[in-house]
Amino acid sequence: MDLSAYSVRTDLALEAKEMAANELGDNIPGLESETDEHEGIRITKIKVASPEAGQAIGKLPGQYITIEVPKLRENDSDLQNRVTTKLAQEFAAFLQEIGVTKEHKVLIIGLGNWNVTPDSLGPLVVENCLVTRHYFELIPDQVSPGYRQVSAVAPGVLGITGIESSEIVKGIVEMTKPDLVIAIDALASRSLERVNTTIQIADTGIHPGSGIGNKRKGLTEEILGVPVIAIGVPTVVYASTIVNNSIDLMASHFHRLTDQTGQILGMLDQLQEQERLQLVKEVLAPLGHDLLVTPKEIDQFIEDIAHIIASGLNAALHEAVDMENVSAYTH
Amino acid sequence: MDLSAYSVRTDLALEAKEMAANELGDNIPGLESETDEHEGIRITKIKVASPEAGQAIGKLPGQYITIEVPKLRENDSDLQNRVTTKLAQEFAAFLQEIGVTKEHKVLIIGLGNWNVTPDSLGPLVVENCLVTRHYFELIPDQVSPGYRQVSAVAPGVLGITGIESSEIVKGIVEMTKPDLVIAIDALASRSLERVNTTIQIADTGIHPGSGIGNKRKGLTEEILGVPVIAIGVPTVVYASTIVNNSIDLMASHFHRLTDQTGQILGMLDQLQEQERLQLVKEVLAPLGHDLLVTPKEIDQFIEDIAHIIASGLNAALHEAVDMENVSAYTH
Amino acid sequence: MDLSAYSVRTDLALEAKEMAANELGDNIPGLESETDEHEGIRITKIKVASPEAGQAIGKLPGQYITIEVPKLRENDSDLQNRVTTKLAQEFAAFLQEIGVTKEHKVLIIGLGNWNVTPDSLGPLVVENCLVTRHYFELIPDQVSPGYRQVSAVAPGVLGITGIESSEIVKGIVEMTKPDLVIAIDALASRSLERVNTTIQIADTGIHPGSGIGNKRKGLTEEILGVPVIAIGVPTVVYASTIVNNSIDLMASHFHRLTDQTGQILGMLDQLQEQERLQLVKEVLAPLGHDLLVTPKEIDQFIEDIAHIIASGLNAALHEAVDMENVSAYTH
Amino acid sequence: MDLSAYSVRTDLALEAKEMAANELGDNIPGLESETDEHEGIRITKIKVASPEAGQAIGKLPGQYITIEVPKLRENDSDLQNRVTTKLAQEFAAFLQEIGVTKEHKVLIIGLGNWNVTPDSLGPLVVENCLVTRHYFELIPDQVSPGYRQVSAVAPGVLGITGIESSEIVKGIVEMTKPDLVIAIDALASRSLERVNTTIQIADTGIHPGSGIGNKRKGLTEEILGVPVIAIGVPTVVYASTIVNNSIDLMASHFHRLTDQTGQILGMLDQLQEQERLQLVKEVLAPLGHDLLVTPKEIDQFIEDIAHIIASGLNAALHEAVDMENVSAYTH
């Protein structure tokens, strides 16, 4: 989890697009999006086709798929299975679209920290992925058809290792020569409702915020030499964004109720969103610092979504894994 | 952790008193309080001496000690040791004041759920307490002087056991006949800054909120037949109270800046606090529900404070445990 | 887990019967047994019908069902599902046989210690059981048909609580008035191969060994006032029994090879089994103490078998839970 | 933990030397050793000075330090602190002897698997080490004197990652250019008494057994290009070695008792040790497989010794860390 994520407005392209649309209107040139919703699962595909479109929404050019499942935290195993299958299908199609064939070797990187629950998504996914590279290396003639060469590493976090994840991953990539890296990361979101209900897939790799300076490196094709797909799930929210978001909601709530256009929230109405967020942050600062918060039930939520992602990847990466009965392959 | 805690305004007497003072002024008859601060540890003793004072602040008559250590989350082992010693001293004095002698047998109850991190405070404390009752029962003549008869149980939560904690505890009290029950519980607070930085000790026992009806029972002298001291630590905050609290802060921030008394926050200024909280809850409702949130680093915070409380209790309950070197007795 | 279990020869009736048969021959009056094996699952039902038969095998009169699944540690989810279904069926039949009706209220007790992996079976089962008692208490008219009133508690261990489990359970039984107690416990076995591959069900309750004196109490109908079914799984072995057991195997191995009847193992051949075990214990004593050991992979094994037992109980206790798809109800 | 360790006779030079001495006598050319014992801590330094000496004991030429603390499992925090200080002193002296200066950069590698308790030593040590490399990289002018450049990675195990640890480590070494690698590993021992009571330091690196073929690679200077110090702790024992070891003990026990030199254990007496071990393995084989076992209390033992090793390394590697108060620097 990259703390500098806060300095960018959001880790999610979907939220970035919504924010941009609020300011710039719906029609941003070079920005395409389509949404499909079915039985509680909404899938939005966003294509940022030009650098201008990227700048408009503060996201790199590339393709983004967002899977939103508002009821995913309700412990419904049926829904979880459907999401897993859907993720597998979308991910397989995504691989095909960007030219990944079934001979391509994949390295899965689980970013984050085992010992901080909302940050443990990546390592948990790694633990549940079906890895096969060692069989291809040690007993290549005994590997059944339908399996791809897959490896998976959780490199740890800077505070524990003293080494940037991107350096560790670059070393592993150079030793093992995968054709594709898939990086799993926990994200910060703008709203509590997204925490552990939203999955984003992007072909842009992982870019740390610019806050800490250009010394921090990302996981990108530029750095690693192979394409990088990022899978992210919001697991935390800044307290300040909850507050700011709620003020927004209150403003529109009042406007609806009163049908007024005047200064319903007084001075708050006059502020631009970024100014107001800055204000909220200033106000919260004396309270210690602007804390990242997570739902009380995070232990269970993280386990559930790690299982969904690992199972989805297993089915998308290995033809031999049944898309409809994906859960059987993880513990 | 009692979810109905939300329907009362706060679990902390200190917060309740502050809120009442905002509305009623500082001079509430029957309410005494004194504060002492030393090297980053602030101790406030509140005595609710009359039912009227209790009603005014929404707390039962009784004695409340609050230990506030704003920097307790900063992983400073020196400070943690000082807080432990202070807790031990205050708790020992509290025991003496309410007439607990060194012959009195104590049963420690750790409320909460092992598997939900912010809710695991009670079970973690139980695990680290120095229990001795079995020695008194099995080999009474070999127990060294300076040890009190102590037992400790984590009864689990209703959703796992199907039994109210108070029923389980009542059964254990009737079998083992302690003279005093000490109940440890995770609380909901009004502000993020208090999470795992504040410890409250109260001689009033634990009272569930009235929300779920009179079928839910507390841990009180009335029900258990022996006095009950409650030790509580805020480990979660409702998202709505973060928002509401922040709006307060913004209002006073603006007032300070502008030196105005007018309608700085528009309609928000005109609402009473409870009305505004109600509004915030309504606004947050569509986002799923009004989530309880906790800081991202809760795993470490909970371990640290459980260690402080267990060590403090060990020193306060057993004369043979050195108040200045309390940590050596827990693992 | 009761360490005094060691002073009795084995916690498993099946092993006790085999040991007795070695000495007394197959035909022990008052001892009935039948075995059924199907697709890797062997079920043995032993009835100890008389006190004499009990004395002969060192087990209390009563009924014992043993489910042996040698391949249960091989991480085969198909086999695990079949064992769960089989356990559910056998347990349901067992309940019927001893007169438990579907109106009878059940209290499940998970003995053992959360923090010692091979000892955590009981608490893990409790955590995964479907409890309903609180619904019957709080919203009786909304409980769907097909559910029984079930509660579940993990009382902790003497070293943590200072209170005998039997006292805690007796207190809970008196408060909640169940008609039946089911107690889950981790056992010591005579052989490593049984660890986490064998499940024993007995209607005799749980009797601590006599080693520590009559102050330790069991979970029995006599003490609790309601019938007690014990479900036990061997999770540890004494190092001395591994050694002793292996010497046995070597002796018979040599005898087979050499077709001799002479003194193949020299002095070891001349010793009675108990004498030899005593010798092995003496020999191992200087090495620290006669350690209880467990397989290296115990973390995974314990999780798997706890899941099997909880799922099996859920299906056996609630008609509404499908016997063929039992796993869906636990997390 | 390297399972092929079994095919070599023991992971510990000390045990190898004892075994060789039994067969070849005490005077093996090229093998030097000295032992020092003080207050329950025995330190043995073995120098394997020639390839012949290495062949005689089945260990590579190099220096080995063994720290034996038989009472280390008895939960005595005073003893643990003394062992930590001793380890720090010995390790610092060892570094000096092999020419490591305080400018040399160190990479700590914690081998093993988070999720298998007896195998989690390496990752637990990594988690508690004081890493500083990122400060040297990001804010070099703010690093206090007395700190060395240290990084630490837990690369995971082949079954989870699909990549040999040595490949991952080689990649990291090439990216980060340390001057020394310290690798922490859990070992298999010949005797239960050594489990979590013995620490071995060796300057030979880590060599996988030859069992699986030359495809498996070690962590050695040859492969990594920098010196590798291995720190190992036995955390498991093969069941067969417990049995074999016990038979030895019984044989000498009988011989002492009877003062006989004849065939006390019959055919077992006539077998060479390796033949007998082979026999024991054959006999245990049908029981599943020759299981690796670990003491029941392994969870606590592993935590304790990981803390000792991490604290010892912190003090040995950073001059600024006080050798006498080492524990304060880990959590």
Side-chain angles (χ1 to χ4, degrees), chain A residues 6-295:
Chain A
Y6 183 43
S7 59
V8 299
R9 282 152 82 182
T10 167
D11 288 341
L12 294 174
L14 189 64
E15 288 184 343
K17 183 181 150 288
E18 283 166 9
M19 289 160 72
N22 284 344
E23 291 174 22
L24 308 174
D26 271 341
N27 227 327
I28 299 170
L31 192 67
E32 299 162 28
S33 96
E34 59 173 89
T35 297
D36 184 52
E37 182 153 6
H38 188 61
E39 290 188 0
I41 305 176
R42 182 166 60 212
I43 297 183
T44 305
K45 295 179 189 174
I46 296 174
K47 191 172 216 158
V48 182
S50 67
E52 294 72 31
Q55 203 152 16
I57 72 164
K59 289 280 141 198
L60 285 183
Q63 302 193 58
Y64 299 84
I65 298 179
T66 311
I67 303 177
E68 296 172 278
V69 192
K71 293 191 190 307
L72 196 49
R73 294 192 300 225
E74 291 177 12
N75 201 12
D76 170 350
S77 59
D78 222 58
L79 177 61
Q80 291 177 5
N81 286 338
R82 285 194 295 113
V83 173
T84 308
T85 298
K86 197 74 194 159
L87 170 63
Q89 291 163 344
E90 291 294 334
F91 198 80
F94 192 78
L95 289 179
Q96 206 163 31
E97 209 172 313
I98 65 173
V100 176
T101 73
K102 62 184 179 180
E103 277 76 32
H104 281 156
K105 290 182 272 178
V106 170
L107 169 62
I108 296 168
I109 295 296
L111 297 167
N113 187 343
W114 285 105
N115 299 302
V116 176
T117 304
D119 215 6
S120 64
L121 176 71
L124 280 176
V125 170
V126 162
E127 195 186 316
N128 283 290
C129 279
L130 189 57
V131 297
T132 54
R133 181 179 173 275
H134 49 321
Y135 300 124
F136 281 89
E137 292 282 313
L138 297 170
I139 45 169
D141 44 341
Q142 293 170 44
V143 179
S144 309
Y147 289 97
R148 179 196 297 274
Q149 217 177 112
V150 173
S151 55
V153 174
V157 292
L158 187 62
I160 298 282
T161 63
I163 309 175
E164 290 279 354
S165 298
S166 71
E167 289 184 275
I168 295 177
V169 174
K170 191 168 166 57
I172 297 169
V173 166
E174 289 184 1
M175 291 302 296
T176 65
K177 308 287 182 206
D179 301 298
L180 174 71
V181 165
I182 299 171
I184 321 295
D185 199 11
L187 308 177
S189 164
R190 291 186 73 230
S191 66
L192 259 176
E193 63 192 315
R194 286 208 185 281
V195 168
N196 288 38
T197 66
T198 299
I199 301 169
Q200 174 176 279
I201 303 167
D203 64 0
T204 57
I206 286 181
H207 299 261
S210 51
I212 300 180
N214 53 10
K215 278 180 179 159
R216 297 217 54 190
K217 297 164 203 146
L219 295 182
T220 61
E221 180 160 7
E222 201 190 339
I223 288 173
L224 300 181
V226 294
V228 180
I229 300 178
I231 299 182
V233 174
T235 66
V236 292
V237 189
Y238 279 91
S240 58
T241 66
I242 297 178
V243 174
N244 196 42
N245 210 248
S246 303
I247 293 174
D248 263 1
L249 285 165
M250 276 189 284
S252 49
H253 180 83
F254 278 130
H255 285 290
R256 257 197 322 274
L257 282 185
T258 60
D259 203 20
Q260 277 190 277
T261 52
Q263 294 195 195
I264 299 217
L265 294 182
M267 292 176 63
L268 288 179
D269 270 345
Q270 302 161 34
L271 299 170
Q272 291 293 315
E273 174 158 12
Q274 278 305 100
E275 288 175 300
R276 206 177 55 208
L277 179 58
Q278 194 50 45
L279 171 69
V280 172
K281 284 201 267 181
E282 273 174 46
V283 164
L284 289 175
L287 306 190
H289 32 290
D290 183 12
L291 284 171
L292 279 162
V293 299
T294 194

Side-chain angles (χ1 to χ4, degrees), chain B residues 146-302:
Chain B
Y147 288 98
R148 180 197 296 275
Q149 214 176 115
V150 173
S151 55
V153 174
V157 292
L158 188 63
I160 299 282
T161 64
I163 309 176
E164 290 280 354
S165 298
S166 71
E167 289 184 275
I168 294 178
V169 175
K170 192 170 167 53
I172 297 169
V173 166
E174 288 185 0
M175 290 301 297
T176 64
K177 308 287 180 204
D179 300 300
L180 174 71
V181 165
I182 299 171
I184 322 295
D185 200 11
L187 307 178
S189 164
R190 291 186 75 227
S191 66
L192 260 176
E193 62 191 316
R194 287 206 183 283
V195 168
N196 287 36
T197 65
T198 300
I199 302 170
Q200 174 176 278
I201 303 167
D203 64 359
T204 57
I206 287 181
H207 299 261
S210 52
I212 300 181
N214 53 8
K215 277 180 181 161
R216 296 216 57 189
K217 296 163 204 147
L219 295 182
T220 60
E221 181 161 6
E222 199 189 340
I223 289 171
L224 299 181
V226 294
V228 181
I229 299 178
I231 299 181
V233 174
T235 66
V236 293
V237 189
Y238 279 91
S240 58
T241 66
I242 297 178
V243 174
N244 196 43
N245 209 248
S246 303
I247 292 174
D248 262 1
L249 286 164
M250 275 190 283
S252 47
H253 180 82
F254 276 131
H255 284 288
R256 260 198 318 275
L257 283 185
T258 60
D259 203 19
Q260 275 190 280
T261 50
Q263 295 195 194
I264 301 220
L265 293 181
M267 291 176 66
L268 287 179
D269 271 346
Q270 302 160 36
L271 299 171
Q272 291 293 316
E273 174 156 12
Q274 279 306 99
E275 286 176 301
R276 205 177 56 209
L277 179 59
Q278 194 50 44
L279 172 69
V280 172
K281 285 200 268 180
E282 272 174 47
V283 163
L284 290 175
L287 307 190
H289 32 288
D290 182 11
L291 282 173
L292 278 161
V293 300
T294 194
K296 173 175 175 269
E297 303 83 356
I298 187 68
D299 306 77
Q300 187 62 47
F301 293 167
I302 282 281

Side-chain angles (χ1 to χ4, degrees), chain C residues 192-209:
Chain C
L192 260 176
E193 62 192 315
R194 287 207 184 283
V195 168
N196 287 36
T197 65
T198 300
I199 301 169
Q200 174 176 278
I201 304 166
D203 65 359
T204 56
I206 286 180
H207 299 260

Side-chain angles (χ1 to χ4, degrees), chain B residues 58-89:
Chain B
K59 289 281 144 199
L60 284 183
Q63 301 194 58
Y64 299 84
I65 297 179
T66 312
I67 303 176
E68 295 173 278
V69 192
K71 293 191 190 308
L72 195 51
R73 293 191 302 223
E74 290 175 14
N75 203 12
D76 170 348
S77 58
D78 223 58
L79 177 61
Q80 291 177 6
N81 287 337
R82 286 194 295 114
V83 173
T84 308
T85 299
K86 197 74 194 156
L87 171 63
Q89 291 164 343

